[in-house]
Amino acid sequence: MLSYVIKRILYAIPILIGVNLITFMLFFTINTPDDMARSQLGAKRVTAEMIEAWKVDKGYDKPLFINEKAEGLAVVTDTLFVKESLKLFTFDFGFSDANRNIGEDIKERMVPSLAIALPTFMIALVTNISLALLLVLFRGSALDTSMMVVAVMIMSVSGLFYIIAGQVIFSKMWHWVPISGYASGWEGVKFVILPVLIGVFSGIGAGVRWYRSIFLEQINQDYVRTARAKGLSELKVLFGHVLGNGMLPILTGVVVVIPQLFMGSLIMESFFGIPGLGSYTIDAINAQDFAIVKAMVFLGSVLYIVGLILTDISYTLFDPRVKLGA
Amino acid sequence: MNQYLFNILLLVFMSLNSYADVWNSPYTLDKSKKETLFSSFSLPYKHLDPVVSYSKRELMIISNIYEPVVGYNYLKRPYILEPLTLTSMPEIIYLNKQQEQVYEESSEVAFSQYTFHLRGDIFYQNHPAFALSKKGDYLYHHVRQEALEKIKSLDDFQKQGSRKLVASDYAYAIKRMAVRQNHSPILDIIQEYVVGLESFSKKITKIAKEQKSKGEELNLSSYKIEGVKVIDDRTFTITLKGKYPQFLYWMSMNFFAPIPWEADIFYQQKGLIAKNITLNEFPVGTGAYYLAENNPNKELRLVANPNYHDAFYPTLTQKEAEASHISAELLKDAGRKLPFIKEIIYSLEKESIPLWNKFLQGYYDASGISSSAFDQAIQVSSVGDMGLSEEMKERGIQLKAFIEPSIFYLAFNMVDPIVGGYSSSAKKLRQAISIAQNEEEYISIFTNERGVAAQSPIPPQIFGHLEGKEGCNLYVYNWINGKCVRKSLDEAKQLLSEAGYPNGISKETGKALTLNYDTTASGPDDKALMDWRRKQFAKLGIQLVIRGTDYNRFQDKVRKGKTQLFSWGWSADYPDPENFLFLLYGANSAVTTNGAGVNSANYNNPKYNKLFEEIKSMKNSPKRLEKIKEMIAIAQADAPWVWGMHPKSMALHHAWFSNVLPNAMSDDTLKYKRIDGELRVKKQEEWNQPVLLPLILLFLFPILMAYPLYRAYQSRQKAVIKEEK
């Protein structure tokens, strides 16, 4: 397995270089270093000298991909792309254009993002799977049909609606929890309850339908009939056998998402005042802060690749037939 | 297991209980009861370094921490400067080329010299940069890397110190401004005036670059600027080239706030920079507050500075109060020692809906009025008067409104061959368009009446703003029955015809006149505004093409003069007409200065320019006013702008928040305000009692559903067995 993981990590290097290349090209097609300087220096009284000084200070005075003034290897290496990309591969994200250490900011913002994303993910997983198994138990009944209609209705409504409705009902009308805010430790529980519940509820429709379809594929298999023939109750059949055998497709969709939880949720965090990573990239794009944009795109790509590797590894845990690298 | 669950529930309950008798309070009861102000911010602050910070929202933080030499009186209007850290206003003398003193009005004036005398009782906030060992060495100026690794915030430094404010701290701030790598937005303006600053900037920028490449710190203490002299600990002088009366306004800004060299050295340590502990994040000042916590992703906390010097709430005579329209309520604290509020907490609040709802719940002490909340907050009477809605009145909420010293205008690019130029026909074309642009309608539809139509570049409360018939732009309005009434469309059409476009058709080409309007407002939300804009031109038969573009390209077009029409705005730096009239000064033209100039319309009238050069170094006087009137008349006739509007700012605050007076020029106003914490908690409890019935039903639901579900499961079990058989 180790050789497989190493091979996948090596595969990741050209992918990350490619992602980085696209980020550079897209960003600098829209924003020139002069635009970035103006954005950072403010709208008033920006002179050419100030722009030049800013570019030199931040390293944006260098050419993007080819340095025609340099000689030898420096034609390629003494460029913005190479200088900035190499640092990323050592996870040195450097400083934002507003002079903040990006690595520190990411570390600080990851925790609040996880405080929302992790419980939402866990509770949603358990709730959705349990509800899906319940519907499989009552398959074909009025309960199953009506729940499927409700699931489609839940899916059809925008997540933003649930957030605003949740804030209005639970905080403004019933005064149960704060509308927004964040605190660490136990003090943070009251701030996290509502976004987590809304996150779970808004995902129930899609989640339950998906898991239900996976379990329905299993329910008529021979091994289920054998389990019933042994005299097992339906609950034991569902949770002990159907769930286990349905894990492979579930893992495909679920494990890949786990590393992405660090990246947070833009809308949820914005509306609930959660100081997470959700809006970090968007704020940086609006502020034309390339240092943050490239760091976040790189990190997102790394986490996605990690997710895919974890998914492959998790297959071997749930299905002994799967052998990585074989 | 049950015991474990019980413990968790107990902890949750205890955490809820410490937040007052309400469940939805984001704050602890302790903080709510105290003199704490709760406010918000929507985006992380980028610059809290006074030499860089220029945006209003950042100034609202650092102005309460730093103290320039002078500041605006909180209550007096028009805005007036008074000493902040000085014993008296600076003495100004005028010198000729031989450095001999001459009279202010003399034509020989070559330099102005400002002498500043500091108070002797001003100390910095406590800070580790000042901490000394028993031997008298600075404890934390060169901390070992391993020791710095354990530091996460300024609180992790065991010792703190303070010291007296000295004149060299002000000189140090100007030296920091001169370092290009610090990116001060006003360096290029100030170096035009301060003797020797330009050459010093070049020299120190080079030195800074070398020091940085060597990884060495830069202490500016030993360097000197020719025009900035420290006489003794409490006296310093600044010498300017020629006369520049606006200089004192600049001196009231944070760019000139004192910087202790100890802080500059302390914050240059790489280990601290890596942890975002820098002067840009943690200011060191002498003001009424210090920044106790700065998490730009979550919360900022200002706390009353224990070392703050004696400062008192302003006292006004009855005559002054009447002239400044100050109510008796605002004078109750006259003469009392400042500050009143002990702590200010700014929380991250990105969206306007939660912000507004929390204000209504009493968890924010003040709020602006977003357009979505406008109808809920404000009632507009049939005659257009605005007041609070019944809902707001019932909650004791108060409204504060004032005209901002700003202007939003529609600019004609004066170098454009169609709308630009100074010929009679070009002027008439612009005048006709100016009449057709119904600004009053715009203000009513798109700003909820939050603005007044502008007649000239100078907003109300700024010297040179004219009221009544004298202030009415008679090229666009008629003075009828004591009111300024917009001219009729027929008059506009007549002017358009005289300009060579009868009914909007060019006499030369026979084609309809088509103009281009460049804007960044090109999203679906802006469609109504753009439709309205097209309609204003269509009234004259002119076709308007909306050219939507992103902000970077838009700025680029304006800089290069590749626009015809565009909307732009300006907000005052200081309350002087020069700060608005220079928007039309030829030498400030955007195209000739590669965008650095503020004259984005590229207006260039020699008569106007000459008058501007005269008034810019004059003090306010009837003579200056006459010249300003002349300038306004020239600009009104040339019509380089459709004069647009001066926005009206409206804000709400709760009854427990007092001494609130909008001040467009000054941001160090927190120290004057008051909070009644007891009343706030009482109201919060009154407005936020939890509704328990839905909670009870929510708990009962699974209990009631348990048995039917069990029965259903059993019958399903039997059905499955049957199916299998």
Tab-separated table of all heavy atoms in Angstrom, chain A residues 142-171:
chain	number	residue	atom	x	y	z
A	142	ALA	N	-46.728	4.214	2.253
A	142	ALA	CA	-47.098	5.642	2.152
A	142	ALA	C	-46.022	6.515	2.796
A	142	ALA	O	-45.727	7.608	2.325
A	142	ALA	CB	-48.447	5.859	2.834
A	143	LEU	N	-45.420	5.970	3.898
A	143	LEU	CA	-44.362	6.738	4.583
A	143	LEU	C	-43.190	6.969	3.636
A	143	LEU	O	-42.664	8.090	3.532
A	143	LEU	CB	-43.897	5.965	5.828
A	143	LEU	CG	-42.763	6.612	6.617
A	143	LEU	CD1	-43.242	7.850	7.355
A	143	LEU	CD2	-42.132	5.632	7.595
A	144	ASP	N	-42.797	5.910	2.932
A	144	ASP	CA	-41.680	5.997	1.982
A	144	ASP	C	-41.986	7.045	0.898
A	144	ASP	O	-41.165	7.941	0.631
A	144	ASP	CB	-41.449	4.616	1.354
A	144	ASP	CG	-40.262	4.611	0.400
A	144	ASP	OD1	-39.348	5.425	0.602
A	144	ASP	OD2	-40.256	3.793	-0.532
A	145	THR	N	-43.168	6.934	0.311
A	145	THR	CA	-43.537	7.855	-0.776
A	145	THR	C	-43.567	9.301	-0.289
A	145	THR	O	-42.998	10.199	-0.909
A	145	THR	CB	-44.917	7.475	-1.346
A	145	THR	OG1	-44.949	6.070	-1.545
A	145	THR	CG2	-45.204	8.198	-2.652
A	146	SER	N	-44.239	9.493	0.847
A	146	SER	CA	-44.369	10.880	1.325
A	146	SER	C	-43.007	11.464	1.725
A	146	SER	O	-42.719	12.628	1.490
A	146	SER	CB	-45.370	10.964	2.488
A	146	SER	OG	-44.981	10.058	3.474
A	147	MET	N	-42.167	10.602	2.310
A	147	MET	CA	-40.840	11.105	2.699
A	147	MET	C	-39.999	11.467	1.467
A	147	MET	O	-39.199	12.397	1.494
A	147	MET	CB	-40.093	10.065	3.537
A	147	MET	CG	-40.578	9.965	4.973
A	147	MET	SD	-40.265	11.468	5.920
A	147	MET	CE	-38.549	11.268	6.300
A	148	MET	N	-40.188	10.717	0.399
A	148	MET	CA	-39.455	11.024	-0.830
A	148	MET	C	-39.914	12.374	-1.409
A	148	MET	O	-39.105	13.162	-1.905
A	148	MET	CB	-39.665	9.919	-1.874
A	148	MET	CG	-38.760	8.730	-1.704
A	148	MET	SD	-37.002	9.154	-1.735
A	148	MET	CE	-36.619	9.276	-0.040
A	149	VAL	N	-41.224	12.624	-1.306
A	149	VAL	CA	-41.749	13.908	-1.783
A	149	VAL	C	-41.157	15.044	-0.933
A	149	VAL	O	-40.681	16.060	-1.451
A	149	VAL	CB	-43.300	13.929	-1.714
A	149	VAL	CG1	-43.840	15.323	-2.027
A	149	VAL	CG2	-43.880	12.907	-2.674
A	150	VAL	N	-41.132	14.825	0.385
A	150	VAL	CA	-40.565	15.837	1.286
A	150	VAL	C	-39.080	16.057	0.962
A	150	VAL	O	-38.595	17.191	0.924
A	150	VAL	CB	-40.754	15.418	2.768
A	150	VAL	CG1	-40.010	16.352	3.698
A	150	VAL	CG2	-42.228	15.397	3.126
A	151	ALA	N	-38.378	14.951	0.685
A	151	ALA	CA	-36.937	15.065	0.372
A	151	ALA	C	-36.727	15.930	-0.872
A	151	ALA	O	-35.827	16.781	-0.897
A	151	ALA	CB	-36.338	13.676	0.157
A	152	VAL	N	-37.568	15.701	-1.886
A	152	VAL	CA	-37.430	16.505	-3.116
A	152	VAL	C	-37.743	17.975	-2.810
A	152	VAL	O	-37.057	18.880	-3.307
A	152	VAL	CB	-38.360	15.951	-4.234
A	152	VAL	CG1	-38.365	16.882	-5.435
A	152	VAL	CG2	-37.898	14.568	-4.646
A	153	MET	N	-38.731	18.178	-1.957
A	153	MET	CA	-39.069	19.572	-1.590
A	153	MET	C	-37.896	20.240	-0.865
A	153	MET	O	-37.552	21.396	-1.150
A	153	MET	CB	-40.316	19.596	-0.697
A	153	MET	CG	-41.609	19.388	-1.481
A	153	MET	SD	-42.999	19.000	-0.419
A	153	MET	CE	-43.175	20.494	0.488
A	154	ILE	N	-37.288	19.507	0.048
A	154	ILE	CA	-36.140	20.073	0.795
A	154	ILE	C	-34.990	20.401	-0.162
A	154	ILE	O	-34.349	21.444	-0.054
A	154	ILE	CB	-35.669	19.089	1.899
A	154	ILE	CG1	-36.732	18.964	2.981
A	154	ILE	CG2	-34.349	19.548	2.528
A	154	ILE	CD1	-36.462	17.884	4.017
A	155	MET	N	-34.790	19.504	-1.130
A	155	MET	CA	-33.707	19.727	-2.100
A	155	MET	C	-33.978	20.948	-2.981
A	155	MET	O	-33.052	21.609	-3.457
A	155	MET	CB	-33.578	18.516	-3.039
A	155	MET	CG	-32.887	17.340	-2.456
A	155	MET	SD	-33.122	15.911	-3.521
A	155	MET	CE	-32.131	16.372	-4.930
A	156	SER	N	-35.258	21.207	-3.213
A	156	SER	CA	-35.624	22.245	-4.185
A	156	SER	C	-35.458	23.668	-3.653
A	156	SER	O	-35.498	24.620	-4.416
A	156	SER	CB	-37.070	22.059	-4.633
A	156	SER	OG	-37.280	20.732	-5.021
A	157	VAL	N	-35.355	23.763	-2.346
A	157	VAL	CA	-35.272	25.110	-1.757
A	157	VAL	C	-33.801	25.495	-1.549
A	157	VAL	O	-32.993	24.652	-1.148
A	157	VAL	CB	-36.037	25.143	-0.413
A	157	VAL	CG1	-35.919	26.503	0.248
A	157	VAL	CG2	-37.500	24.796	-0.635
A	158	SER	N	-33.487	26.757	-1.826
A	158	SER	CA	-32.109	27.240	-1.694
A	158	SER	C	-31.627	27.180	-0.231
A	158	SER	O	-32.408	27.432	0.695
A	158	SER	CB	-32.048	28.681	-2.186
A	158	SER	OG	-31.016	29.364	-1.561
A	159	GLY	N	-30.374	26.837	-0.059
A	159	GLY	CA	-29.789	26.775	1.277
A	159	GLY	C	-29.878	28.106	2.007
A	159	GLY	O	-30.026	28.157	3.225
A	160	LEU	N	-29.813	29.185	1.237
A	160	LEU	CA	-29.877	30.519	1.830
A	160	LEU	C	-31.215	30.745	2.542
A	160	LEU	O	-31.284	31.382	3.591
A	160	LEU	CB	-29.684	31.560	0.723
A	160	LEU	CG	-29.557	33.001	1.157
A	160	LEU	CD1	-28.370	33.203	2.070
A	160	LEU	CD2	-29.415	33.911	-0.065
A	161	PHE	N	-32.277	30.151	1.944
A	161	PHE	CA	-33.598	30.294	2.556
A	161	PHE	C	-33.600	29.659	3.943
A	161	PHE	O	-34.126	30.235	4.896
A	161	PHE	CB	-34.666	29.641	1.664
A	161	PHE	CG	-36.018	29.582	2.307
A	161	PHE	CD1	-36.850	30.689	2.288
A	161	PHE	CD2	-36.445	28.442	2.970
A	161	PHE	CE1	-38.094	30.646	2.909
A	161	PHE	CE2	-37.673	28.391	3.594
A	161	PHE	CZ	-38.508	29.502	3.557
A	162	TYR	N	-33.004	28.460	4.050
A	162	TYR	CA	-32.996	27.786	5.354
A	162	TYR	C	-32.235	28.615	6.388
A	162	TYR	O	-32.608	28.658	7.553
A	162	TYR	CB	-32.346	26.405	5.237
A	162	TYR	CG	-33.140	25.450	4.388
A	162	TYR	CD1	-32.595	24.892	3.246
A	162	TYR	CD2	-34.453	25.123	4.720
A	162	TYR	CE1	-33.328	24.023	2.457
A	162	TYR	CE2	-35.186	24.266	3.931
A	162	TYR	CZ	-34.621	23.724	2.798
A	162	TYR	OH	-35.356	22.876	2.022
A	163	ILE	N	-31.161	29.257	5.928
A	163	ILE	CA	-30.355	30.051	6.861
A	163	ILE	C	-31.176	31.228	7.389
A	163	ILE	O	-31.288	31.438	8.601
A	163	ILE	CB	-29.066	30.554	6.166
A	163	ILE	CG1	-28.144	29.375	5.868
A	163	ILE	CG2	-28.346	31.575	7.030
A	163	ILE	CD1	-26.943	29.720	5.017
A	164	ILE	N	-31.769	31.958	6.453
A	164	ILE	CA	-32.528	33.154	6.879
A	164	ILE	C	-33.757	32.742	7.689
A	164	ILE	O	-34.036	33.313	8.751
A	164	ILE	CB	-32.904	34.012	5.661
A	164	ILE	CG1	-31.619	34.556	5.006
A	164	ILE	CG2	-33.820	35.165	6.049
A	164	ILE	CD1	-31.818	35.293	3.715
A	165	ALA	N	-34.459	31.691	7.206
A	165	ALA	CA	-35.648	31.234	7.940
A	165	ALA	C	-35.255	30.737	9.328
A	165	ALA	O	-35.928	31.038	10.325
A	165	ALA	CB	-36.339	30.130	7.155
A	166	GLY	N	-34.141	30.014	9.400
A	166	GLY	CA	-33.666	29.500	10.687
A	166	GLY	C	-33.349	30.638	11.643
A	166	GLY	O	-33.723	30.606	12.818
A	167	GLN	N	-32.681	31.650	11.128
A	167	GLN	CA	-32.330	32.791	11.988
A	167	GLN	C	-33.589	33.515	12.461
A	167	GLN	O	-33.687	33.928	13.613
A	167	GLN	CB	-31.423	33.764	11.217
A	167	GLN	CG	-30.013	33.235	11.045
A	167	GLN	CD	-29.095	34.222	10.349
A	167	GLN	OE1	-29.533	34.995	9.506
A	167	GLN	NE2	-27.825	34.174	10.664
A	168	VAL	N	-34.547	33.664	11.550
A	168	VAL	CA	-35.781	34.387	11.910
A	168	VAL	C	-36.568	33.586	12.945
A	168	VAL	O	-37.002	34.121	13.974
A	168	VAL	CB	-36.630	34.672	10.646
A	168	VAL	CG1	-38.020	35.149	11.035
A	168	VAL	CG2	-35.939	35.690	9.764
A	169	ILE	N	-36.740	32.282	12.677
A	169	ILE	CA	-37.597	31.481	13.574
A	169	ILE	C	-36.915	31.235	14.926
A	169	ILE	O	-37.476	31.549	15.969
A	169	ILE	CB	-37.965	30.137	12.903
A	169	ILE	CG1	-38.848	30.407	11.679
A	169	ILE	CG2	-38.689	29.208	13.892
A	169	ILE	CD1	-39.045	29.220	10.782
A	170	PHE	N	-35.713	30.690	14.879
A	170	PHE	CA	-35.103	30.242	16.144
A	170	PHE	C	-34.472	31.359	16.973
A	170	PHE	O	-34.366	31.244	18.183
A	170	PHE	CB	-34.046	29.164	15.866
A	170	PHE	CG	-34.636	27.906	15.312
A	170	PHE	CD1	-34.477	27.582	13.981
A	170	PHE	CD2	-35.397	27.070	16.112
A	170	PHE	CE1	-35.039	26.431	13.448
A	170	PHE	CE2	-35.978	25.916	15.595
A	170	PHE	CZ	-35.799	25.595	14.249
A	171	SER	N	-34.072	32.420	16.299
A	171	SER	CA	-33.436	33.485	17.071
A	171	SER	C	-34.321	34.716	17.206
A	171	SER	O	-34.491	35.249	18.290
A	171	SER	CB	-32.113	33.865	16.419
A	171	SER	OG	-31.491	34.831	17.211
